[in-house]
Amino acid sequence: MKKADQIIASRLSLASLASVLNGNRLFAGALVTGALLLTGCQSTSLDQFNAMTAKQTPVAAKTALATALQKQRRQSFSYHSNLEVSNEQQFSDINIEIDAKAPVASGYIDEYCEDTHDQAYAALITQAEAQNKDILAADYDAQRTVLKDRYLECTDAYEAWVESKYDSEITVLAFYQQLFDNYDDRSTAQDIKKAKLLDAYVLKPLSINAQGIYQPMAGKATMLASMQYQARNHQSSMNQPIYLDLKNGNIYLWADNFAMFNSELLDDKLGTKWRNKWLKLAIDDGTLPKGFGSELIKSHFAALDATFDAAPISQFDYVAPNTLASLSPKLPAHQLPAMLASNQVIRRVQSAESYEQFYQDYMRIIYERLSQRYPELVKESEPYEASDTNAKKFTSKALVQQMLAMMKSGMDSGSEAKEKTAESAMLSNSEKQELYGFDKRGQLKWQHMRSELPSETAASKNMVIDILQQYSAISAKNMVFPNLPSDVQVPNASNSIDMREYGSELMQYYRDGNGTAMGKMMFSVMPMAKEKFGAVE
């Protein structure tokens, strides 16, 4: 699992490179937040675009893409993103090469011969019953003999294979040598069945989307994240409005999705106070150095530019739009129409190992810039311990110090191991592909990222995640949050709950002997509550 700073970096870098989907969680906001907030609808002049793309070489592709990504950062735009997860690779091609990909009978190599024989014999019994005959009838003598001979041949081969690890002169039949050498890479019939069930009952009915606007000059960004599940007898949907006040450093979350849980678990006096309200989360409590937020954004973009410039030319090329439908694995059918309408498509492909190097370089640049500008943030950062009762550990400054310490630790540990580990072997089997679609005016209309999650083995396939982000001009006619009342489209003091103030009031409520059993247990071990109010009985 990735460290917190790596996850944060991946969300940010997806914004301009669309090259980061390294987390293993499917929660919509975490997967697309960075991309939605910082990636925009950008156009160059028509003459400039035509000049850059006249020669469709890898150099021209990289240059044109870098220009578009750098200029988009100050553009306002409306966006819509769709995320799809597919595991069809795990079962769609198992019969292409029977000897290499056919599922095995058992998950344990030492039980393979017996389980294979038992399954074959059971199939023969079923055949005999269908013909109203006894399995011991003479009609099945030949088939029973074949099954017996194959079982004996298999067990002899397995014993020889085991002994050959200690005696190089022992030979094994080629078929069994290949089978047992690569047994861990093979799927079982049960694995295939589980993959098909997951696809049919979870992945296909599930859809994750997000839409909103981004206005950097106004210091405003919004997201309406949604998740839908639509099956024959089950339809459900969940939405989460999010509003970012970038100028004042506040994040607002619509309270509905949290009110019921808070009322049940913590605040038994809440009632309907959170109805039609926003929850205000202040990012900076005043302890961070002046200008830190601006410098963090500048460092982020500087790191993106430096790592993009260092990327090999071989990662970039032009793709004919009409070939997108033939990519393998296939792109989601409902994502294709918008992509096929493009005039130009630029592709970037990174191996997972290449991305890991990008991540290390990206984090190093950010760390060096911030540590040079604000040495007090890295001077005395110590690892956080859950048992620490010092409330100062929970200020914005302290949390940033911990983040920088985690970045430094991650960089140091990443440079220590040189030999190839099992994790790096899994990473080498996956890659990340980004596609960028331009219209005839040179305007970036969409970007698509495909990421294959690392497999457990080098030969096996795993889930594929496809994210399509489409961009358009902001329309004044459309409400930012169509599911919310018109008077709460923009958070303000009257329609929002300050979570810092609310938290203090709630802790005092518990200190006075009130609250739920779950809340008393939680607040009794919280460092801030202990220091400010003493132990909660």
Side-chain angles (χ1 to χ4, degrees), residues 41 43 83 90 102 105 143 163 233 246 254 280 384 471 504:
C41 178
S43 64
L83 181 149
Q90 297 177 341
Q143 296 180 61
E163 293 176 1
N233 298 309
L246 302 175
W254 191 246
K280 175 186 174 182
Y384 166 71
Y471 310 113
S504 297

Side-chain angles (χ1 to χ4, degrees), residues 392-410:
K392 293 181 180 180
K393 289 284 186 180
F394 292 87
T395 65
S396 297
K397 179 180 179 180
L399 293 177
V400 169
Q401 287 178 321
Q402 293 299 325
M403 181 190 74
L404 292 173
M406 292 169 66
M407 291 169 62
K408 183 65 163 59
S409 176

Side-chain angles (χ1 to χ4, degrees), residues 233-377:
N233 298 309
H234 183 146
Q235 295 187 11
S236 59
S237 177
M238 183 177 70
N239 301 306
Q240 177 57 59
I242 304 171
Y243 187 104
L244 274 75
D245 179 356
L246 302 175
K247 286 187 175 180
N248 297 310
N250 296 321
I251 299 177
Y252 294 87
L253 304 176
W254 191 246
D256 282 1
N257 291 332
F258 308 98
M260 183 181 69
F261 296 103
N262 184 42
S263 178
E264 288 288 332
L265 300 177
L266 297 178
D267 191 351
D268 52 10
K269 64 177 177 55
L270 182 63
T272 59
K273 294 178 182 178
W274 281 14
R275 185 175 184 182
N276 288 340
K277 297 288 186 179
W278 291 93
L279 302 180
K280 175 186 174 182
L281 305 173
I283 300 175
D284 184 5
D285 58 4
T287 59
L288 287 172
K290 185 177 181 179
F292 175 80
S294 176
E295 181 59 30
L296 177 61
I297 294 175
K298 291 178 181 178
S299 298
H300 160 67
F301 286 129
L304 287 182
D305 290 341
T307 51
F308 190 94
D309 290 343
I313 295 296
S314 59
Q315 291 183 357
F316 304 86
D317 68 338
Y318 283 93
V319 177
N322 59 7
T323 64
L324 296 177
S326 61
L327 293 179
S328 179
K330 292 183 177 181
L331 296 171
H334 64 278
Q335 292 184 353
L336 267 177
M339 302 169 69
L340 293 174
S342 306
N343 188 63
Q344 297 270 7
V345 177
I346 294 176
R347 173 172 59 185
R348 182 184 184 187
V349 179
Q350 280 183 290
S351 67
E353 289 179 318
S354 173
Y355 166 73
E356 286 298 308
Q357 184 59 53
F358 149 76
Y359 160 73
Q360 291 291 332
D361 294 340
Y362 171 85
M363 299 305 292
R364 175 182 53 78
I365 294 171
I366 289 183
Y367 179 84
E368 290 176 353
R369 285 178 60 104
L370 293 179
S371 61
Q372 291 173 6
R373 181 69 181 272
Y374 305 105
E376 67 272 22
L377 294 180

Side-chain angles (χ1 to χ4, degrees), residues 82-101:
N82 171 252
L83 181 149
E84 297 292 334
V85 183
S86 172
N87 69 337
E88 289 189 8
Q89 287 192 113
Q90 297 177 341
F91 58 84
S92 61
D93 62 349
I94 59 172
N95 293 321
I96 293 177
E97 298 176 18
I98 297 297
D99 290 343
K101 298 185 179 181

Side-chain angles (χ1 to χ4, degrees), residues 44-66:
T44 62
S45 69
L46 181 58
D47 291 341
Q48 183 182 9
F49 180 77
N50 289 338
M52 286 189 297
T53 61
K55 295 181 179 180
Q56 295 194 353
T57 63
V59 173
K62 181 179 180 180
T63 302
L65 183 56

